[in-house]
Amino acid sequence: MTGTSTALLTDHYELTMVAAALADGTAARQCVFETFARRLPNGRRYGIVGGTARVIDAISRFTFGDAELAQLSGVLDGATIDWLANYRFTGDVDGYPEGELYFPGSPLFTVRGTFAEAVVLETLVLSILNHDSAIVSAGARMVSAANGRPIIEMGGRRTHEEAAVASARAAYLAGFATTSNLEAGRRYGIPTAGTCAHAFTLLHDSEHAAFTAQVQALGVETTLLVDTYDITAGIQTAIEVAGPSLGAIRIDSGDVGVLARQARAQLDSLGARNTRIVVSGDLDEYAIAALRAEPVDAYGVGTSLVTGSGSPTAGMVYKLVEVEGRPVAKRSSHKESRAGRKSALRRHKPTGTALEEVVYVVGSEIPEGPHDRQLQVPLMRDGQPVDDLPTLESSRQRVREGLVSLPWEGLKLSHGEPAIQTVNVEK
């Protein structure tokens, strides 16, 4: 996000509640709202929190400017318009740090403030956390499947332009090596990488001419796309042009496992033993896992990443759980919430393997063992981000450490139950 947050990042029904609460005097009641997921996407064994830094930044800048207020003048009464004109969030936020594992019922993001100033944030909070958590959770599965081989994020053409930037950031958080999205590189300092498309080869009179132009412009460390016409001929031409020190070739179509094997044999026979093989083309975590035994050096992933690999939202909700210190809860069938402000700790074996997640009402007496870890941390105080929030790099390290802490079955790609169980402790 850049610039000032606007009314377009809230929802009509949120402002309707603000107007009604201002009118009946309940707007100033101190409340607690919690963000959590009732369940993981179908068959997933863990989730990873993404977007925390983005949503904290968005809340700290969330205001209603003249243009937004003018748009709302025919929708809301004057008192509500005046309240919005002076809106600044002044409350507190606690939550799981970005990159942390989460499971059903985890209290991921807790907002404390007056009803009016907290309820107006619902759409803003959920739109960022739901999107980024879905992307980083899918990306982490792909990184695990790649088993140490680098992945390039290249999904910018497959989603909304701003979602593309957020997805590139989430992919890097998950462990992707680079992105082809230059705005993500500028905005977040993510390493960028890319190569030419088939259009560049088709532009030239011959594949030889296209490769020559690319090598002259970018050097022999570049990656040449060799499957525009015939892969075998393309590899032969690539080595003729760049020599055996060519950085890499890319295969973007066909049975990439078989083609990678053939390409490796051909490259080796031509003396290009250090030329890497990059594969792309509708890859997801399952395709990457299937290629683990093949001579592939890196993957390019686009569509499946930016769409959450079949789960484009994390399914998180933002619910009121406390009013003026009094626990409240929704009881609707299949949409229940647990009353009271909650926190959580994760229990581990001495080896570091996670055992269970304990969710408890704040104020409860929860015995802590030597290998337990509290999960919520301060994120905002009095409407301002706390000092020393985790950096993108430290959050990236948190993802790596979290995946290592999962029981071995938690990393399976097959459908299964959450890797660790959530234990709810009543006060």
Side-chain angles (χ1 to χ4, degrees), residues 102-181:
Y102 75 86
F103 300 92
S106 297
L108 305 178
F109 198 82
T110 303
V111 178
R112 290 177 284 153
T114 68
F115 175 80
E117 69 175 339
V119 77
V120 79
L121 297 176
E122 179 176 355
T123 296
L124 178 67
V125 170
L126 290 180
S127 63
I128 295 175
L129 293 182
N130 265 319
H131 174 270
D132 287 23
S133 298
I135 304 305
V136 70
S137 298
R141 286 160 57 87
M142 297 173 192
V143 170
S144 295
N147 198 31
R149 295 171 178 173
I151 310 179
I152 307 165
E153 186 282 315
M154 47 200 306
R157 301 176 185 86
R158 299 293 185 265
T159 189
H160 182 278
E161 65 270 21
E162 277 299 317
V165 181
S167 294
R169 181 186 181 279
Y172 186 67
L173 174 63
F176 278 45
T178 56
T179 179
S180 63
N181 191 298

Side-chain angles (χ1 to χ4, degrees), residues 121-400:
L121 297 176
E122 179 176 355
T123 296
L124 178 67
V125 170
L126 290 180
S127 63
I128 295 175
L129 293 182
N130 265 319
H131 174 270
D132 287 23
S133 298
I135 304 305
V136 70
S137 298
R141 286 160 57 87
M142 297 173 192
V143 170
S144 295
N147 198 31
R149 295 171 178 173
I151 310 179
I152 307 165
E153 186 282 315
M154 47 200 306
R157 301 176 185 86
R158 299 293 185 265
T159 189
H160 182 278
E161 65 270 21
E162 277 299 317
V165 181
S167 294
R169 181 186 181 279
Y172 186 67
L173 174 63
F176 278 45
T178 56
T179 179
S180 63
N181 191 298
L182 295 178
E183 176 58 18
R186 182 195 70 82
R187 197 178 297 182
Y188 300 116
I190 300 170
T192 60
T195 183
C196 293
H198 295 291
F200 186 75
T201 301
L202 295 170
L203 168 69
H204 291 79
D205 295 334
S206 68
E207 197 169 49
H208 190 283
F211 290 171
T212 299
Q214 184 175 335
V215 170
Q216 288 177 345
L218 302 175
V220 296
E221 279 300 306
T222 192
T223 300
L224 296 177
L225 182 59
V226 295
D227 66 344
T228 303
Y229 304 116
D230 177 79
I231 292 180
T232 301
I235 293 173
Q236 180 72 38
T237 301
I239 301 306
E240 287 176 3
V241 169
S245 296
L246 174 65
I249 63 167
R250 179 161 73 99
I251 303 171
D252 188 51
S253 57
D255 188 336
V256 292
V258 172
L259 294 174
R261 256 177 281 144
Q262 295 172 348
R264 182 75 272 158
Q266 185 180 2
L267 288 167
D268 291 349
S269 72
L270 295 171
R273 295 185 176 275
N274 294 321
T275 297
R276 301 180 303 279
I277 298 174
V278 181
V279 299
S280 56
D282 296 324
L283 298 180
D284 61 11
E285 61 265 49
Y286 302 103
I288 291 171
L291 291 168
R292 187 174 293 179
E294 305 297 350
V296 173
D297 297 289
Y299 307 92
V301 180
T303 302
S304 63
L305 184 280
V306 300
T307 57
S309 195
S311 298
T313 177
M316 295 175 184
V317 294
Y318 183 88
K319 296 300 177 185
L320 180 64
V321 296
E322 193 172 284
V323 178
E324 296 286 2
R326 173 175 57 87
V328 297
K330 179 179 178 180
R331 298 301 182 198
S332 303
S333 179
H334 305 299
K335 288 191 174 183
E336 302 87 352
S337 60
R338 293 182 63 231
R341 176 187 164 201
K342 292 170 285 297
S343 192
L345 62 83
R346 190 167 297 146
R347 301 197 189 280
H348 299 80
K349 294 180 180 179
T351 58
T353 301
L355 286 171
E356 64 182 12
E357 186 146 325
V358 180
V359 177
Y360 60 91
V361 175
V362 172
S364 302
E365 293 186 8
I366 304 297
E368 289 190 41
H371 307 292
D372 295 349
R373 179 166 61 87
Q374 290 288 339
L375 295 168
Q376 280 206 343
V377 299
L379 297 172
M380 298 186 82
R381 288 294 180 264
D382 300 322
Q384 297 299 315
V386 300
D387 294 332
D388 301 320
L389 283 172
T391 64
L392 181 57
E393 289 296 335
S394 64
S395 297
R396 197 166 184 250
Q397 177 63 27
R398 185 180 297 277
V399 173
R400 288 194 288 265

Side-chain angles (χ1 to χ4, degrees), residues 79-97:
T80 304
I81 294 293
D82 291 342
W83 184 87
L84 292 174
N86 296 303
Y87 179 83
R88 297 291 187 281
F89 179 69
T90 63
D92 297 340
V93 178
D94 297 273
Y96 285 29

